[in-house]
């Protein structure tokens, strides 16, 4: 892309959020079809995460070279970073599962996993609205961001109960318990990354209204 060509930052953010949603949906579908822990799943999610990385790099490169940008440069860089964190966290679930030969999730992990497509979907809808300032005031964007936070709070409850059950399961040895805990933590980290992205958008809106 020529440096003289106008770069559409809002479209790039939507691409990042779109990749996050695609990663979440593919991860969820793969687990339901018994593909967790496979190299095929890891490779598929890694390819998507690489595409998301490319968009993140584009944003940061243009922030360094463009004379004018739509919002504060630091705020825009922060948003690109947190959206990329969501993609990284989702890929990490597949990576940990593959490395640890983890082929299934406990009930808590499955519950958190089921929340991820809805959470990333709400985040995507909010990001898609960023380019139109009128959307910042009509309440719908705020509702989507609050939905992300509500889903993350619901995942927190599931996570605590799942850890309680995990460490109360006498049938597991220490190694099995550690693997289950680590994969469960990566799912929780992915939900936390979604919430961090929502909070970043809230802050950006507040600073620029």
């Amino acid at each position: 892309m020529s440096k003289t060509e106008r770069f559409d930052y809002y479209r790039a953010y939507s691409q990042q959020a779109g990749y996050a949603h695609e990663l979440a949906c593919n991860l969820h579908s793969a687990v339901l079809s018994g593909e967790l822990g496979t190299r095929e799943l890891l490779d598929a999610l890694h390819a998507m995460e690489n595409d998301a990385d490319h968009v993140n790099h584009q944003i940061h490169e243009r922030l360094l070279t463009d004379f004018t940008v739509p919002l504060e440069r630091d705020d825009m860089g922060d948003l690109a970073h947190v959206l990329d964190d969501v993609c990284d966290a989702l890929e990490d679930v597949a990576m940990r599962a593959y490395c640890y030969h983890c082929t299934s999730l406990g009930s808590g992990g499955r519950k958190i996993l089921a929340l991820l497509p809805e959470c990333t979907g709400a985040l995507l809808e909010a990001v898609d609205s960023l380019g139109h300032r009128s959307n910042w005031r009509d309440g719908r964007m705020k509702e989507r961001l609050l939905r992300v936070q509500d889903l993350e709070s619901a995942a927190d409850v599931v996570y605590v109960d799942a850890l309680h059950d995990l460490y109360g399961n006498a049938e597991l040895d220490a190694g099995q318990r550690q693997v289950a805990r680590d994969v469960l933590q990566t799912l929780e980290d992915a939900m936390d990354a979604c919430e961090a992205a929502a909070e970043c958008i809230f802050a950006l809106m507040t600073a620029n209204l």
Side-chain angles (χ1 to χ4, degrees):
M1 177 182 292
S2 169
K3 289 185 179 180
T4 60
E5 183 179 344
R6 187 174 182 84
F7 183 71
D8 190 340
Y9 287 96
Y10 295 117
R11 180 175 180 273
Y13 291 136
S14 289
Q15 287 178 315
Q16 285 187 292
Y19 281 124
H21 185 51
E22 187 178 0
L23 280 159
C25 291
N26 276 268
L27 179 62
H28 184 238
S29 297
V31 172
L32 292 179
S33 60
E35 297 174 54
L36 183 67
T38 65
R39 183 75 209 193
E40 291 76 15
L41 175 61
L42 177 57
D43 287 346
L45 266 60
H46 183 64
M48 283 182 244
E49 194 276 331
N50 273 347
D51 289 340
D53 268 346
H54 178 68
V55 179
N56 183 43
H57 294 154
Q58 276 189 314
I59 293 170
H60 285 285
E61 286 171 3
R62 294 303 296 240
L63 285 172
L64 287 173
T65 59
D66 283 351
F67 185 70
T68 60
V69 295
L71 303 167
E72 289 292 329
R73 290 180 196 272
D74 287 346
D75 292 343
M76 295 180 70
D78 288 345
L79 179 55
H81 179 74
V82 294
L83 289 172
D84 191 59
D85 283 347
V86 178
C87 296
D88 288 343
L90 288 162
E91 183 201 9
D92 197 39
V93 177
M95 185 179 296
R96 296 295 179 94
Y98 175 72
C99 291
Y100 297 157
H101 296 263
C102 178
T103 58
S104 62
L105 298 173
S107 61
R110 291 193 299 271
K111 288 177 182 177
I112 296 175
L113 181 68
L115 296 174
L116 277 166
E118 184 178 356
C119 192
T120 54
L123 184 62
L124 174 59
E125 290 177 356
V127 173
D128 280 344
S129 300
L130 265 177
H132 306 282
R133 293 291 184 99
S134 60
N135 293 329
W136 298 16
R137 297 180 175 86
D138 68 6
R140 286 177 295 178
M141 191 169 173
K142 185 176 180 180
E143 286 177 6
R144 291 160 183 157
L145 295 172
L146 288 173
R147 182 59 181 156
V148 172
Q149 293 181 322
D150 288 344
L151 289 165
E152 194 280 331
S153 295
D156 281 344
V157 174
V158 175
Y159 173 72
V160 170
D161 288 342
L163 282 182
H164 175 80
D165 293 342
L166 179 63
Y167 282 91
N169 187 347
E171 296 180 3
L172 299 177
D173 61 32
Q176 292 171 320
R177 189 174 291 113
Q178 181 58 41
V179 167
R181 183 190 186 284
D182 204 14
V183 175
L184 183 66
Q185 181 64 58
T186 60
L187 289 165
E188 172 67 5
D189 289 344
M191 293 295 295
D192 287 345
C194 290
E195 183 184 38
E199 290 174 347
C200 184
I201 296 171
F202 267 129
L204 187 151
M205 289 169 56
T206 302
N208 291 278
L209 277 174

